């Protein structure tokens, strides 16, 4: 399990966009994004850099939490 801190989410649309970006990565088996904390819990085997790049491509900031 990897935890990311996502920056720039303001509403549930953002949560859905970030969730879908992470879920689309091969190897990711589960994603849970919390708007209030900005934390994303990602289950699976994907590389951290791949997770961060996907979140950034969706328009948000991301760093290891
Ligand atoms: Cu939003």
């Amino acid at each position: 399990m990897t935890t990311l801190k996502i920056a720039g989410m303001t509403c549930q649309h953002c949560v859905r966009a970030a969730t879908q970006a992470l879920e689309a990565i091969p190897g990711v088996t589960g994603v849970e994004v919390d708007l209030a904390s900005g934390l994303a819990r990602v289950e699976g085997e994907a590389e951290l850099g791949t997770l961060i790049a996907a979140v950034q491509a969706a328009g948000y900031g991301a760093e290891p939490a």
Side-chain angles (χ1 to χ4, degrees), residues 7-8 11 13 19 21-22 24 28-29 31 34 37-38 40-43 48 52-53 55 57 61:
C11 69
H13 169 83
T19 300
L22 290 166
V28 171
T29 57
V31 179
D34 181 66
S37 66
R41 296 163 56 90
V42 183
E43 309 283 348
L48 178 61
I52 289 174
V55 173

Side-chain angles (χ1 to χ4, degrees), residues 4 10 16 18 21-22 27 40 45 49 58 61 63-65:
L4 298 178
T10 56
R16 197 153 47 242
L22 290 166
E45 300 298 325
E63 60 185 26

Side-chain angles (χ1 to χ4, degrees), residues 9 11-12 15-17 21 23-25 28 31-32 36 38 46 49-50 53 56-58 62:
M9 295 191 299
C11 69
Q12 287 301 325
V15 170
R16 197 153 47 242
E23 284 176 341
I25 298 167
V28 171
V31 179
E32 193 174 306
T50 304
Q56 289 175 338

